Amino acid sequence: MIQHRAPHYYSNFADWAKAFDCPVYLHEADREWVMGPTSYVHFWSGESLFLAPGVTAVHLGGHFPGSLFLHWAKGSEGKGTILTGDTIYITPGLDRVSFMYSFPNFLPLSAREIRRIRSIMEQWNFANIHGAWSGKSIVGNGNEVIKQSISNYLDALEG
């Protein structure tokens, strides 16, 4: 089994939380990566966490065990928006998404893992996807892009 590396942003999120005086919600699957106690970190378990009316953190796993996306039901003029990072990664052409276990080593997630992600994504309505980096957005057809990308991945991985 491949060992996981430390998740991104875990070295400084507590400093940012303190600077902005805001909580950080982490899925318990990533608990081991938090270095040092901080009152700003709130661990949660399960499939989803209601954060505010129409705003839900959804446990996705994949790139890291605790990976998640944020679903904003009223985003995209009521069609829904998701905010994501590496587990659902928007490709440079802004017309596909990638599902990578390791970006530096070009290792995709397994077909089994992608099918699991598909079952989670089917539960959420959204038109837009916004990634963690500037200029990484898919507007209007995000749900269809994810469905097609999953199909493409499974075809490639399973032949």
Side-chain angles (χ1 to χ4, degrees), residues 72-140:
W72 177 30
K74 293 185 180 182
S76 306
E77 299 178 353
K79 296 176 186 168
T81 294
I82 63 170
L83 308 176
T84 187
D86 286 347
T87 295
I88 298 174
Y89 182 83
I90 299 171
T91 63
L94 307 179
D95 59 350
R96 300 281 186 275
V97 295
S98 181
F99 306 93
M100 300 296 283
Y101 171 79
S102 172
F103 285 89
N105 297 304
F106 299 109
L107 296 173
L109 289 171
S110 68
R112 179 177 145 192
E113 189 70 0
I114 292 170
R115 282 191 299 276
R116 186 190 61 75
I117 288 169
R118 177 178 59 195
S119 71
I120 294 169
M121 299 311 299
E122 289 172 344
Q123 301 173 46
W124 300 93
N125 294 317
F126 56 93
N128 293 356
I129 307 169
H130 298 291
W133 295 269
S134 178
K136 292 287 190 177
S137 293
I138 294 174
V139 178

Side-chain angles (χ1 to χ4, degrees), residues 10 24 29 34 37 40 46-47 51 61 77 88-89 97 99 104 108 121 127 153:
Y10 278 51
V24 174
V34 176
Y40 292 99
E47 296 177 12
L51 295 171
E77 299 178 353
I88 298 174
Y89 182 83
V97 295
F99 306 93
M121 299 311 299
Y153 257 77

Side-chain angles (χ1 to χ4, degrees), residues 135-146:
K136 292 287 190 177
S137 293
I138 294 174
V139 178
N141 64 336
N143 203 320
E144 289 304 315
V145 166
I146 286 181

